[in-house]
Amino acid sequence: MSLVPFPSGGDDNRSSTNSAKTPPLSRDSLAINSPSSPIPRDPVKLTARSCLYELCAKSRWKRPVFTCCNENGPTNLRSFTYKAVVEMKEEDSKSWILVECIGKPQFNKKNAADSAAEGVLWYLVHLGYPKKA
């Protein structure tokens, strides 16, 4: 899955009869798709938080909750420690399972939340999630 637009069809030489359906590619749009483009053609790398949100949505669990549980250091070198909590419900039972993980201290809040999400994802993978349908 790539989020970078690619021209449709294999013909880059578009005729005037085809221009009514699809506009001709401009010089700038061709630069995006060239191999020497600074824009990567690979799919966008997902963060651990976005993967965890996606897994919870697909499994119909509650959204994960990220909370800052510790802040250390002076104001110019503050480190943050985040906790991620996921409530999951098994399809076969009526009980809820609570998964909670504390991440590594990071100098950025987003990275600290990703660290906690990585811990939850690691644990869920070792439990056998996502279940194969």
Side-chain angles (χ1 to χ4, degrees):
M1 176 174 117
S2 178
L3 298 179
V4 178
F6 291 101
S8 60
D11 186 24
D12 287 334
N13 298 329
R14 302 183 189 237
S15 63
S16 60
T17 59
N18 196 7
S19 64
K21 294 178 185 175
T22 57
L25 294 175
S26 69
R27 186 174 180 173
D28 294 332
S29 65
L30 289 175
I32 291 174
N33 296 320
S34 71
S36 63
S37 170
I39 298 173
R41 295 176 73 176
D42 297 332
V44 176
K45 181 181 176 188
L46 298 176
T47 63
R49 282 180 297 146
S50 63
C51 290
L52 185 59
Y53 279 121
E54 190 174 306
L55 176 64
C56 290
K58 285 182 181 177
S59 302
R60 295 186 178 158
W61 300 333
K62 293 182 180 179
R63 288 176 54 96
V65 177
F66 295 95
T67 55
C68 185
C69 59
N70 195 6
E71 290 184 32
N72 284 330
T75 56
N76 62 337
L77 287 174
R78 189 160 310 269
S79 67
F80 303 94
T81 305
Y82 266 67
K83 174 174 70 170
V85 179
V86 175
E87 288 184 59
M88 3 182 302
K89 185 174 183 179
E90 286 288 329
E91 294 177 9
D92 302 339
S93 68
K94 295 181 181 180
S95 63
W96 287 86
I97 299 171
L98 186 70
V99 177
E100 191 173 292
C101 184
I102 297 174
K104 294 180 182 178
Q106 301 286 331
F107 293 112
N108 184 327
K109 288 183 179 182
K110 289 181 181 180
N111 292 343
D114 279 335
S115 176
E118 285 175 10
V120 172
L121 287 172
W122 179 89
Y123 185 74
L124 290 176
V125 165
H126 283 76
L127 283 179
Y129 289 95
K131 300 282 186 186
K132 304 287 186 216

